[in-house]
Amino acid sequence: PQICLLFFLVSLLEDSGYLARAAFAVDRVMRRFGLSGLSFVPLLSSHACALPGIMSTRLIRDDRERLATILVAPFMSCSARLPVYVLLIGILSIGKPAWFAGVAFAGCYALGAAAGLFSALLARRTILRGPARALVLELPPYRRPSIRNAALVTWDRANVFIRNAGTTILAISIVMWWLSAFPRVNGDAHAQQAGSFAGQIGDALQPVFAPLGFDSQLTVGVMTSFMAREVFVSTMGVLAGAGSGADVSDQGVLEQVATMARTDGTPVFNTATSAAALVFFVLAMQCLPTLAVTRRETGSWKWPALQLGWMTIVAYGAAFITYTVVRMATGVH
């Protein structure tokens, strides 16, 4: 539904003549990062969901610029990240001034956009070297958008999305559900989540995430979130005993997750770990459907592999720095 709403609103903006002017206005800034104003709309769309953002890069005529835009589009903070932001910023905000959460949310969006633009600059100066093509477009007159035209465009784009991306998303969701649901383990939801194949993978990979302050429970949450970022919230709710449908905006549920304990009795979410997890989710790929759409749009697995590898390296490195700095500042060991 949110993707259809995105298509509808973008169609209204296109019909009004605004988007062409916005692309023209930001062209000079985008050129500093090896892109042009034509990359503005895909990156803007990616703040709702990277899937339609990547699909909309077909309008970019230069192949290198189009590839660079596809590679960095997932850095934009999409709507799927919002539940994770609510959870982690809510934990970090406990005992903080009221303005802290707002600044943290804005910082997440700014960090993702900055990482995307500088990654595009790096790509355009290395593997996708070449000058940005001159932006030539006709500025249409301002006019009142047509609701009927926007609805028809939304219907058409939604059908294309369901056919091209929906089937891939369904297949990935089934695989990830199977990994999270089997083998069957006697006991509560916590025992099932920990004993599933996904839980076992999380336990095996915990040493990799230990430098970020993640324990096995948090690692399980990271692994299951590869299906979709928001799955992290339901996973942590299950592990905390709040249930998979827990609402993290509820103060009681938030406190229940915030007070989760490790096997040694220390908190899972201390300040340093919470900050590192937040930075990691701002920058990490954590979305298999996006990789599938990148493969479909580029025609090769080389580019989604590069996309996953680069975003993981950036996310891990930034999270490690965050964890180290915050731990030193707070004195948590």
Side-chain angles (χ1 to χ4, degrees), residues 285-305:
M285 169 56 73
Q286 298 302 102
C287 186
L288 288 178
T290 299
L291 293 173
V293 172
T294 298
R295 160 65 179 82
R296 184 181 294 274
E297 292 297 313
T298 60
S300 170
W301 280 110
K302 175 180 68 175
W303 299 110

Side-chain angles (χ1 to χ4, degrees), residues 59-74:
L59 299 175
I60 301 175
R61 295 181 292 272
D62 185 275
D63 290 338
R64 291 187 178 90
E65 182 183 342
R66 179 172 180 263
L67 277 172
T69 305
I70 289 175
L71 291 176
V72 305

Side-chain angles (χ1 to χ4, degrees), residues 222-277:
V222 171
M223 297 310 301
T224 57
S225 68
F226 270 104
M227 178 174 65
R229 296 175 180 94
E230 61 269 29
V231 174
F232 173 78
V233 176
S234 59
T235 299
M236 300 314 297
V238 168
L239 295 177
S244 59
D247 182 5
V248 293
S249 62
D250 181 272
Q251 189 63 28
V253 173
L254 181 63
E255 292 179 356
Q256 193 170 354
V257 175
T259 55
M260 290 175 61
R262 304 169 188 253
T263 54
D264 60 1
T266 58
V268 171
F269 289 103
N270 55 50
T271 302
T273 300
S274 300

